[in-house]
Amino acid sequence: MKNNTVALLCGIIFGAGLTLSQMTDPAKVLSFLDVTGNWDPSLIFVMLGALTVTMISFRKILKKPSPLLTQRFVIASKTALDKPLILGSAIFGIGWGITGYCPGPSVAGLGLGNIEALIMVCSIYAGFWAYGKMKV
Amino acid sequence: MVTLLENFTPLSSFSGGLLIGLAATLLLLFNGRIAGISGIMSGLISPGKGEIFWRLVFLLGLVLGALLVKAVIPDSIKIREGFPYGLLAIGGFLVGFGTRMANGCTSGHAVCGIARLSKRSIAATLTFIVSGMMTVYLLRHLIGLSV
């Protein structure tokens, strides 16, 4: 129960952060990716803000034997740079560059009366499903 | 120089980033989970026991957080109009397909993975940023898409 409350709270803080930094605005994200156009480096500052916190906190937290409310940390254990990682990231980048949406802002935009967010979330799930089918 | 960086918002972007970092920190500290949105979403497709509710409330939180900021700063939200829905659907499909293949997106790799100095996450982040930039260059400057 407690960990669901934490998850809700973390979602709220995360969604507020995405919106405050205007990452919910696909035009702003696309102007970050448009280096030869009217470039807007704001997205780098979002990453810097987030990493300022996580670079310090993650190191300390992961030294603990376990999280405060659950048994263990669920962290990706792979270390090799393999083809799915690079190819998948390249494909994600194409979708991101076409739309200006990554998954977080797509979900956060659902409550804003934004039909684009709804289309994004549905088609993202279609993409998840298709990859799952292909892989099996 | 007048038009250069005219939409640049370093302060609100950095502050928003701090909140994102705080959310990722709390989720790891209390629940031992990585705040990777694509992973939290895709984990709902064939979830194990105890894997549904926390994901749903986290995603609900994203929506509530956006509404909260909108309530405090009404003009913080811009909604794009006139972008072709077909392009959105194709792009969204690629976002879903690619992030599941690569096991992460902007949040999981660029915010959480880089914080652990994961080589995979650094490589993934560089790849999707370069790929996104090439895509925008192709669409806006070579093909001349104006939306």
Side-chain angles (χ1 to χ4, degrees), chain A residues 97-125:
Chain A
I98 293 175
T99 61
Y101 284 99
C102 53
S106 305
V107 175
L110 284 176
L112 303 170
N114 184 358
I115 187 122
E116 287 198 349
L118 184 64
I119 296 171
M120 281 302 298
V121 169
C122 293
S123 50
I124 285 172
Y125 267 103

Short mmCIF file of all heavy atoms in Angstrom, two decimals, chain A residues 97-125:
data_model
loop_
_atom_site.label_atom_id
_atom_site.label_comp_id
_atom_site.label_asym_id
_atom_site.label_seq_id
_atom_site.Cartn_x
_atom_site.Cartn_y
_atom_site.Cartn_z
N GLY A 97 11.74 12.29 -33.29
CA GLY A 97 12.00 13.40 -34.22
C GLY A 97 10.81 13.72 -35.11
O GLY A 97 10.62 14.86 -35.52
N ILE A 98 10.00 12.70 -35.42
CA ILE A 98 8.80 12.96 -36.22
C ILE A 98 7.77 13.72 -35.38
O ILE A 98 7.20 14.72 -35.82
CB ILE A 98 8.17 11.63 -36.71
CG1 ILE A 98 9.08 10.94 -37.73
CG2 ILE A 98 6.79 11.90 -37.36
CD1 ILE A 98 8.58 9.57 -38.18
N THR A 99 7.56 13.25 -34.13
CA THR A 99 6.41 13.74 -33.35
C THR A 99 6.75 14.82 -32.31
O THR A 99 5.90 15.65 -31.99
CB THR A 99 5.78 12.58 -32.56
OG1 THR A 99 6.76 12.05 -31.66
CG2 THR A 99 5.31 11.48 -33.49
N GLY A 100 7.97 14.78 -31.75
CA GLY A 100 8.29 15.67 -30.64
C GLY A 100 7.85 15.12 -29.30
O GLY A 100 7.91 15.82 -28.29
N TYR A 101 7.38 13.87 -29.29
CA TYR A 101 6.94 13.24 -28.04
C TYR A 101 7.79 12.03 -27.71
O TYR A 101 8.00 11.17 -28.56
CB TYR A 101 5.51 12.72 -28.17
CG TYR A 101 4.41 13.76 -28.10
CD1 TYR A 101 3.83 14.23 -29.27
CD2 TYR A 101 3.93 14.21 -26.89
CE1 TYR A 101 2.80 15.17 -29.23
CE2 TYR A 101 2.91 15.14 -26.83
CZ TYR A 101 2.34 15.61 -28.00
OH TYR A 101 1.33 16.53 -27.94
N CYS A 102 8.24 11.95 -26.43
CA CYS A 102 8.72 10.68 -25.92
C CYS A 102 7.64 10.16 -24.98
O CYS A 102 6.61 10.81 -24.78
CB CYS A 102 10.10 10.86 -25.26
SG CYS A 102 10.19 12.14 -24.01
N PRO A 103 7.81 8.97 -24.38
CA PRO A 103 6.70 8.38 -23.62
C PRO A 103 6.17 9.24 -22.46
O PRO A 103 4.94 9.36 -22.30
CB PRO A 103 7.29 7.06 -23.13
CG PRO A 103 8.24 6.67 -24.23
CD PRO A 103 8.89 7.97 -24.63
N GLY A 104 7.03 9.84 -21.64
CA GLY A 104 6.57 10.60 -20.48
C GLY A 104 5.59 11.72 -20.82
O GLY A 104 4.47 11.76 -20.31
N PRO A 105 5.99 12.64 -21.69
CA PRO A 105 5.09 13.73 -22.08
C PRO A 105 3.81 13.23 -22.76
O PRO A 105 2.77 13.90 -22.67
CB PRO A 105 5.93 14.56 -23.04
CG PRO A 105 7.33 14.31 -22.61
CD PRO A 105 7.36 12.87 -22.20
N SER A 106 3.87 12.08 -23.44
CA SER A 106 2.66 11.54 -24.06
C SER A 106 1.62 11.23 -22.99
O SER A 106 0.46 11.59 -23.11
CB SER A 106 2.97 10.27 -24.85
OG SER A 106 3.98 10.51 -25.80
N VAL A 107 2.07 10.56 -21.92
CA VAL A 107 1.14 10.21 -20.84
C VAL A 107 0.71 11.46 -20.08
O VAL A 107 -0.48 11.67 -19.82
CB VAL A 107 1.78 9.19 -19.87
CG1 VAL A 107 0.85 8.92 -18.68
CG2 VAL A 107 2.11 7.89 -20.59
N ALA A 108 1.67 12.33 -19.75
CA ALA A 108 1.36 13.53 -18.96
C ALA A 108 0.34 14.42 -19.69
O ALA A 108 -0.47 15.09 -19.06
CB ALA A 108 2.63 14.32 -18.67
N GLY A 109 0.37 14.39 -21.03
CA GLY A 109 -0.54 15.24 -21.80
C GLY A 109 -1.97 14.73 -21.86
O GLY A 109 -2.86 15.43 -22.34
N LEU A 110 -2.18 13.50 -21.35
CA LEU A 110 -3.53 12.90 -21.45
C LEU A 110 -4.61 13.70 -20.73
O LEU A 110 -5.77 13.68 -21.14
CB LEU A 110 -3.52 11.47 -20.89
CG LEU A 110 -2.91 10.39 -21.77
CD1 LEU A 110 -2.90 9.05 -21.03
CD2 LEU A 110 -3.65 10.26 -23.09
N GLY A 111 -4.23 14.40 -19.65
CA GLY A 111 -5.23 15.13 -18.88
C GLY A 111 -5.42 16.56 -19.36
O GLY A 111 -6.23 17.30 -18.82
N LEU A 112 -4.67 16.95 -20.38
CA LEU A 112 -4.67 18.35 -20.78
C LEU A 112 -5.63 18.62 -21.94
O LEU A 112 -5.60 19.69 -22.55
CB LEU A 112 -3.26 18.80 -21.17
CG LEU A 112 -2.20 18.59 -20.06
CD1 LEU A 112 -0.80 18.83 -20.61
CD2 LEU A 112 -2.48 19.52 -18.89
N GLY A 113 -6.46 17.65 -22.24
CA GLY A 113 -7.39 17.82 -23.35
C GLY A 113 -6.68 17.81 -24.68
O GLY A 113 -7.09 18.43 -25.65
N ASN A 114 -5.56 17.07 -24.72
CA ASN A 114 -4.72 17.08 -25.91
C ASN A 114 -4.90 15.76 -26.66
O ASN A 114 -4.43 14.71 -26.23
CB ASN A 114 -3.26 17.25 -25.45
CG ASN A 114 -2.31 17.36 -26.61
OD1 ASN A 114 -2.72 17.27 -27.77
ND2 ASN A 114 -1.05 17.57 -26.32
N ILE A 115 -5.56 15.83 -27.81
CA ILE A 115 -5.83 14.61 -28.58
C ILE A 115 -4.53 13.98 -29.09
O ILE A 115 -4.42 12.76 -29.23
CB ILE A 115 -6.80 14.88 -29.74
CG1 ILE A 115 -7.21 13.58 -30.44
CG2 ILE A 115 -6.24 15.82 -30.77
CD1 ILE A 115 -8.67 13.35 -30.45
N GLU A 116 -3.49 14.81 -29.32
CA GLU A 116 -2.19 14.28 -29.77
C GLU A 116 -1.64 13.28 -28.76
O GLU A 116 -1.08 12.25 -29.14
CB GLU A 116 -1.19 15.42 -29.94
CG GLU A 116 -1.45 16.30 -31.15
CD GLU A 116 -0.22 17.12 -31.52
OE1 GLU A 116 0.74 17.16 -30.74
OE2 GLU A 116 -0.24 17.72 -32.62
N ALA A 117 -1.80 13.59 -27.46
CA ALA A 117 -1.27 12.71 -26.42
C ALA A 117 -1.98 11.35 -26.46
O ALA A 117 -1.35 10.30 -26.31
CB ALA A 117 -1.44 13.35 -25.04
N LEU A 118 -3.27 11.38 -26.69
CA LEU A 118 -4.03 10.14 -26.76
C LEU A 118 -3.58 9.27 -27.94
O LEU A 118 -3.38 8.06 -27.81
CB LEU A 118 -5.53 10.47 -26.88
CG LEU A 118 -6.48 9.28 -26.87
CD1 LEU A 118 -6.41 8.55 -25.54
CD2 LEU A 118 -7.91 9.74 -27.14
N ILE A 119 -3.40 9.91 -29.09
CA ILE A 119 -2.92 9.18 -30.27
C ILE A 119 -1.53 8.60 -30.00
O ILE A 119 -1.24 7.45 -30.34
CB ILE A 119 -2.88 10.10 -31.52
CG1 ILE A 119 -4.29 10.56 -31.86
CG2 ILE A 119 -2.20 9.40 -32.70
CD1 ILE A 119 -4.34 11.63 -32.94
N MET A 120 -0.67 9.40 -29.35
CA MET A 120 0.68 8.93 -29.04
C MET A 120 0.63 7.70 -28.12
O MET A 120 1.29 6.70 -28.40
CB MET A 120 1.50 10.04 -28.35
CG MET A 120 2.06 11.09 -29.26
SD MET A 120 3.14 10.46 -30.57
CE MET A 120 4.48 9.71 -29.64
N VAL A 121 -0.14 7.79 -27.03
CA VAL A 121 -0.16 6.68 -26.07
C VAL A 121 -0.68 5.40 -26.74
O VAL A 121 -0.09 4.33 -26.58
CB VAL A 121 -1.00 7.04 -24.82
CG1 VAL A 121 -1.24 5.81 -23.95
CG2 VAL A 121 -0.30 8.12 -24.01
N CYS A 122 -1.75 5.52 -27.55
CA CYS A 122 -2.28 4.33 -28.24
C CYS A 122 -1.25 3.75 -29.21
O CYS A 122 -1.04 2.53 -29.24
CB CYS A 122 -3.55 4.67 -29.00
SG CYS A 122 -4.91 5.11 -27.92
N SER A 123 -0.59 4.61 -29.99
CA SER A 123 0.35 4.07 -30.98
C SER A 123 1.64 3.57 -30.32
O SER A 123 2.26 2.64 -30.81
CB SER A 123 0.63 5.08 -32.10
OG SER A 123 0.97 6.32 -31.57
N ILE A 124 2.02 4.18 -29.18
CA ILE A 124 3.18 3.65 -28.44
C ILE A 124 2.87 2.22 -27.97
O ILE A 124 3.70 1.31 -28.11
CB ILE A 124 3.52 4.56 -27.22
CG1 ILE A 124 4.20 5.85 -27.69
CG2 ILE A 124 4.43 3.83 -26.23
CD1 ILE A 124 4.40 6.89 -26.59
N TYR A 125 1.66 2.01 -27.45
CA TYR A 125 1.28 0.66 -27.03
C TYR A 125 1.25 -0.31 -28.22
O TYR A 125 1.62 -1.48 -28.09
CB TYR A 125 -0.04 0.66 -26.25
CG TYR A 125 0.20 0.76 -24.76
CD1 TYR A 125 0.01 1.96 -24.08
CD2 TYR A 125 0.68 -0.34 -24.04
CE1 TYR A 125 0.27 2.06 -22.71
CE2 TYR A 125 0.93 -0.25 -22.68
CZ TYR A 125 0.73 0.96 -22.02
OH TYR A 125 1.00 1.05 -20.67
#
